[in-house]
Every structure is written in C-alpha cells, then in structure tokens.
Amino acid sequence: AQSVTQLDSHVSVSEGTPVLLRCNYSSSYSPSLFWYVQHPNKGLQLLLKYTSAATLVKGINGFEAEFKKSETSFHLTKPSAHMSDAAEYFCVVSADYGSSNTGKLIFGQGTTLQVKP
Amino acid sequence: SQTIHQWPATLVQPVGSPLSLECTVEGTSNPNLYWYRQAAGRGLQLLFYSVGIGQISSEVPQNLSASRPQDRQFILSSKKLLLSDSGFYLCAWSRSGLRGTSTGNTIYFGEGSWLTVV
C-alpha cells in the first residue's frame, strides 16, 4: 500500500531564506508523487508532480522537488522564501498503478509554512 | 483552458436539513470527477469519484451521496445533515480515457465549499 509522511507539521523561515519541506513515501511500485499548496480557505493548487521522468522536478513559483528512490523521499525546496509562500503544503502519492485510473490520491497530513519578514 | 467551479462557497445548515453542493468543469469532456472532504485543516479524504455519467464510486460509508447527471456536472448531496458532516468540501477533476497508459494523472481542484452544520 502507498503512503506519505510529511516529517514536519510546521516550518518557519525568514523571508529570503531557503525553504525545505520534507516528505517520505512508501510504495510497492514506482510512485507518482505530487506537491499541492493550499492558501487559507482556498482550494488546492498543484505545485509540481513526478511521474518517473526526470528525478528533479521544477514547479511553479520557484519550487522544485527531487525524487530519491534510495531514500524514499520527495522533499520540496525553494531557494528564497517569499511572504506569499505562507500556506499549507501537501505531499501526495497517487494510488493508481498499472491500468488503474481512478485518480485516487493519498495525502500527507500537511506542513504549514510560516514566512517571517 | 479548463476550469472548475463549485458552489456555494460557504453555507451554514441546521442538523437534519438537506445538502446540495454543485460542481461543473469547463473546457474538457468526459473528465474523471471527485469529491473530497478536508476536516479541521488536515489532509483530504476522497469521498466519491466518477468516471462517467451515472457512474459513482463511494470510498467511505457516510451520510452523503453523489450524482453525475451530466458529463461535466457533479453533485454532492445529503438528505439529512449530521454535525459530523461539517468540513471543507472540494470538487476536483482529472483527464480520463488513459487506462493502460501512464498513471499519475494530475488532479485539479476547485475552490472548495465550507459547510458548517449547526
């Protein structure tokens, strides 16, 4: 069975400093992994996704994530935090494999990113 | 481009009253459609998904139901709301017709509907 674990429930950084949001996954096959961002009282927006192409995935707003199979990790990074990055971030794995196409997603519990001026 | 709309954005309903949340997708055809619930600002739980008109799969037993009367319309309903139905409900869609090909189809979310049952 697939699962994701976000290692930090809350991360606080200063504006202009790097961001690291950690995610570990568990999957019995090659996973499809996503990072979504949710601003307060809003829907979820896709930041980036990994689907077995390049291991370093670049997303929107300067975010990127690296898939490391040996570490079963998919950490999200950004070189320089902006105040507008303050939000909830979800690491997500697709429950589909093979010919399955239900679109079911398994969500981590989320990491709240606080950006201090 | 594709867009997804859901409404109402917020509603407060008394216990025992009915519920109807609507969702429509534009700019695509035959999408997979989903209803998720997010309780207390935590991760999302998949409630229902649909791969076509009239085809609904339920993920968890609950007080809610879903219907898909048209290709790009997805409705979440309840006949009698419970306090535990309170939460943030998100409609979502993904492209379909890709069985047998690569997985990891991206899911796109609507803006969500806040439901408070009092």
Side-chain angles (χ1 to χ4, degrees):
Chain A
Q2 301 90 279
S3 66
V4 288
T5 302
Q6 293 183 243
L7 302 175
D8 308 290
S9 60
H10 188 97
V11 170
S12 181
V13 301
S14 297
E15 189 175 21
T17 63
V19 175
L20 170 64
L21 305 183
R22 299 183 295 165
C23 172
N24 287 127
Y25 70 90
S26 174
S27 178
S28 54
Y29 45 84
S30 182
S32 293
L33 295 160
F34 308 80
W35 275 98
Y36 282 87
V37 60
Q38 184 179 32
H39 289 88
N41 300 318
K42 294 292 187 181
L44 278 74
Q45 181 184 22
L46 178 69
L47 282 177
L48 49 84
K49 67 176 181 179
Y50 166 78
T51 54
S52 73
T55 56
L56 181 62
V57 182
K58 294 188 182 297
I60 63 171
N61 301 335
F63 285 94
E64 61 182 38
E66 185 171 8
F67 174 74
K68 292 187 177 181
K69 185 176 181 179
S70 61
E71 300 177 8
T72 61
S73 69
F74 191 56
H75 301 334
L76 182 70
T77 60
K78 183 174 181 178
S80 177
H82 191 273
M83 295 297 292
S84 61
D85 294 328
E88 187 85 8
Y89 291 79
F90 292 96
C91 183
V92 181
V93 64
S94 171
D96 286 323
Y97 65 96
S99 61
S100 172
N101 188 28
T102 64
K104 298 180 189 178
L105 300 177
I106 300 169
F107 282 76
Q109 286 301 299
T111 299
T112 301
L113 176 63
Q114 180 187 23
V115 182
K116 297 176 289 185
Chain B
S1 63
Q2 300 82 17
T3 57
I4 179 170
H5 305 282
Q6 65 175 102
W7 68 93
T10 60
L11 66 165
V12 179
Q13 294 283 98
V15 169
S17 64
L19 171 73
S20 180
L21 299 179
E22 295 195 31
C23 172
T24 59
V25 179
E26 298 175 359
T28 188
S29 60
N30 194 31
N32 287 351
L33 296 172
Y34 313 87
W35 278 110
Y36 283 84
R37 177 170 57 199
Q38 184 178 33
R42 306 312 296 168
L44 273 66
Q45 178 186 38
L46 178 62
L47 300 176
F48 301 95
Y49 72 94
S50 171
V51 298
I53 296 174
Q55 301 178 60
I56 309 294
S57 296
S58 175
E59 289 298 296
V60 294
Q62 59 205 323
N63 185 44
L64 303 169
S65 62
S67 61
R68 185 170 178 174
Q70 301 181 43
D71 180 44
R72 291 170 291 168
Q73 183 184 23
F74 206 25
I75 299 172
L76 183 69
S77 304
S78 174
K79 292 182 179 178
K80 291 184 178 181
L81 284 169
L82 306 173
L83 287 175
S84 57
D85 292 324
S86 293
F88 191 48
Y89 290 83
L90 289 153
C91 183
W93 74 275
S94 68
R95 291 181 175 82
S96 64
L98 297 178
R99 285 187 177 274
T101 61
S102 62
T103 58
N105 219 3
T106 303
I107 291 184
Y108 302 93
F109 289 86
E111 287 295 299
S113 298
W114 275 107
L115 169 64
T116 303
V117 183
V118 297

